[in-house]
Amino acid sequence: MIKKTLTLIAALAAALTATAQVKVSVHETAKDQPVIPAEIYGQFSEHLGKCIYEGIWVGKDSSIPNVNGYRTDVLEAFKALKVPVLRWPGGCFGDEYHWMDGIGPQENRKKLVNNNWGSTVEDNSFGTHEFLNLCEMLGIEPYISGNVGSGTVEELAKWVEYMTAKEGSMAELRAKNGRKEPWKVKYLGVGNESWGCGGDMTADYYSDVYKRYALYARNYSGNRLYKVACGASDYDYNWTKVMMQNARTKMDALSLHYYTCKGWTGSKGSATQFTTEEYYNVLAKTCEIEEVLKNHFAIMDAYDPDKKVALILDEWGTWFDVEPGTNPGWLFQQNTMRDAMVAALNLNIFQKHTDRLKMANIAQIVNVLQAMVLTDGEKMVLTPTYHVFRMFNVHQNATYVPADYTTGNIVSAEGRIMDDFSACVSRDAAGKLHVSLANPYLDKPVTVELAFDSLKPKTVTGEILKADKINAYNEFGKAPAVAPAAFTGAKATGKGVKLTLPAASVIVLEIQ
Ligand code: AHR
């Protein structure tokens, strides 16, 4: 009864403050604005379920069309996405991964029981060479997640040497394995979730461990590592405080993980079957990330007012129950228009905070959690989340343009309050403005008026993502139920731009 009353109050509150019309004042003349790092559109790939095997790597002898073992359809999808950075090999897997098992002739590689993810036995056929060659081929910055939980300092030090040194015995071993020139490796994560699957450590203890491992991860042959210390999960502000207190001068960045998940015990809810109430619960939980980020930033500001240490959100996204009938350890979930909305709201939030937030890696790129791409044998679909990442990638390396607007609130049944409208503006190198907009309401369109400091827009083009049903998703072997379409509903008015965002839609405009 109490819950019902609260729900009613929540619905009433939402109705009372609903945005039906919003005026966005775009300050395109503002000077000295930050560049949105492309890395905000980062991805994460783990040896988990079908992410690497089948999802990316099928091997040269596969009947699935491939380029040197990488499946062709997925490579093409990654190219269009403009993946800026890819984290690998985990996740929890990373702290049980021993890189030496994944080099040398494929037939000699050790077989590995993946203790974290379904006890699947894998053959290590995708290792350092396969990962770094993939990155090189696609112009992706690799982000290596080093083993601190079960690996030694020497092992991590030698891995860095193997990947990046021009000379010495590690370079010779690499050359013997077919790669003479070192790769360029920028990002090095020193442990993952060291408070949990990565070693179950306290913040105090890990801060010392971090310094020890980081010290021996050297810069070779002109390669400059950017070292990322393991950070907190969600609301663990103490971890951030201790790490900043004890180790801030030894790191380039501190990480953070925030999943849009109902809880860590019991059902997390279905990815495709959900009520209206559950839809808003998920959206409000995902938007709470802004408050969580601000709280971590405030702690970092206290120790590092000049913002020398970045925050890197190297795992984020939705986490639902696995699809019925699939391996519970493989975290394979479908991806609906709700996930697309989650992606749009998050990306718009992240882009407002890039003075401290320098990278974000959605979990994960293929077949795991909020994936870009799903595969079923030789079949592949692009998910609604993929489309948002592709539509929004015009913001990568563009200059942030401040914009003011007033929103109403949506109050979820769980009592969280979120903005009921979202927008972000940037200007690319060619001077074009891009505006990404999201209307989370399931049942209300919103009319938007964009006003500019001085610009008189001449042309407006756009793309829209919406679906007939909010739980629509793209099924293998069927015509896509969620795909972007040209949006012709935005009009240049002489003074600005006017458009109506349909309910539950995401739009990106290009304005000149
Ligand atoms: O992304 C799945 C898992 O979530 C990662 O392996 C781990 O870091 C996190 O708990």
Side-chain angles (χ1 to χ4, degrees), residues 99-313:
W99 68 273
M100 285 262 189
D101 297 345
I103 56 168
Q106 299 254 342
E107 60 282 9
N108 297 344
R109 295 190 189 176
K110 280 195 190 155
K111 294 211 168 28
L112 166 76
V113 178
N114 192 332
N115 295 314
N116 285 287
W117 306 116
S119 298
T120 314
V121 176
E122 74 147 273
D123 61 5
N124 262 313
S125 55
F126 190 92
T128 303
H129 288 247
E130 290 73 23
F131 174 68
L132 292 177
N133 289 344
L134 169 72
C135 290
E136 201 171 63
M137 183 165 59
L138 298 184
I140 297 172
E141 201 75 63
Y143 176 3
I144 297 287
S145 180
N147 181 348
V148 167
S150 71
T152 63
V153 175
E154 183 189 9
E155 188 183 357
L156 184 57
K158 289 245 162 77
W159 197 10
V160 170
E161 190 179 338
Y162 184 87
M163 292 185 285
T164 59
K166 259 201 160 84
E167 293 160 329
S169 57
M170 285 296 108
E172 283 163 20
L173 180 60
R174 186 188 63 232
K176 198 172 133 215
N177 289 331
R179 171 79 188 200
K180 178 138 190 354
E181 286 306 307
W183 292 279
K184 189 180 154 282
V185 175
K186 181 172 176 186
Y187 297 105
L188 178 73
V190 182
N192 168 74
E193 298 197 346
S194 304
W195 37 262
C197 66
D200 214 358
M201 302 178 222
T202 63
D204 243 329
Y205 180 71
Y206 169 73
S207 64
D208 279 344
V209 170
Y210 166 78
K211 285 187 273 192
R212 197 162 151 245
Y213 278 71
L215 177 65
Y216 298 101
R218 305 286 192 187
N219 291 327
Y220 293 97
S221 318
N223 189 68
R224 162 81 172 84
L225 291 173
Y226 181 100
K227 294 174 191 167
V228 184
C230 163
S233 174
D234 309 295
Y235 314 88
D236 183 359
Y237 302 113
N238 182 56
W239 186 279
T240 298
K241 183 169 180 283
V242 173
M243 286 304 296
M244 290 303 287
Q245 212 162 28
N246 296 358
R248 68 181 177 282
T249 58
K250 309 286 181 192
M251 62 173 90
D252 293 296
L254 184 62
S255 72
L256 175 71
H257 290 179
Y258 183 94
Y259 281 102
T260 300
C261 179
K262 204 167 144 192
W264 299 109
T265 51
S267 168
K268 296 176 174 59
S270 160
T272 57
Q273 304 303 314
F274 49 88
T275 62
T276 299
E277 187 173 293
E278 285 165 332
Y279 167 79
Y280 288 117
N281 280 342
V282 163
L283 261 46
K285 165 75 182 166
T286 217
C287 290
E288 194 168 85
I289 198 169
E290 187 161 24
E291 190 187 320
V292 172
L293 284 170
K294 283 181 183 168
N295 291 339
H296 287 285
F297 295 156
I299 296 164
M300 295 178 81
D301 286 349
Y303 292 96
D304 174 35
D306 297 335
K307 302 193 194 311
K308 289 189 178 132
V309 179
L311 190 80
I312 284 191
L313 180 68

Side-chain angles (χ1 to χ4, degrees), residues 44 46 48 91-92 117 192-193 257 259 315 319 364 369:
F44 171 33
E46 180 166 8
L48 193 179
C92 295
W117 306 116
N192 168 74
E193 298 197 346
H257 290 179
Y259 281 102
E315 289 186 30
W319 192 321
Q364 299 191 5
L369 300 176

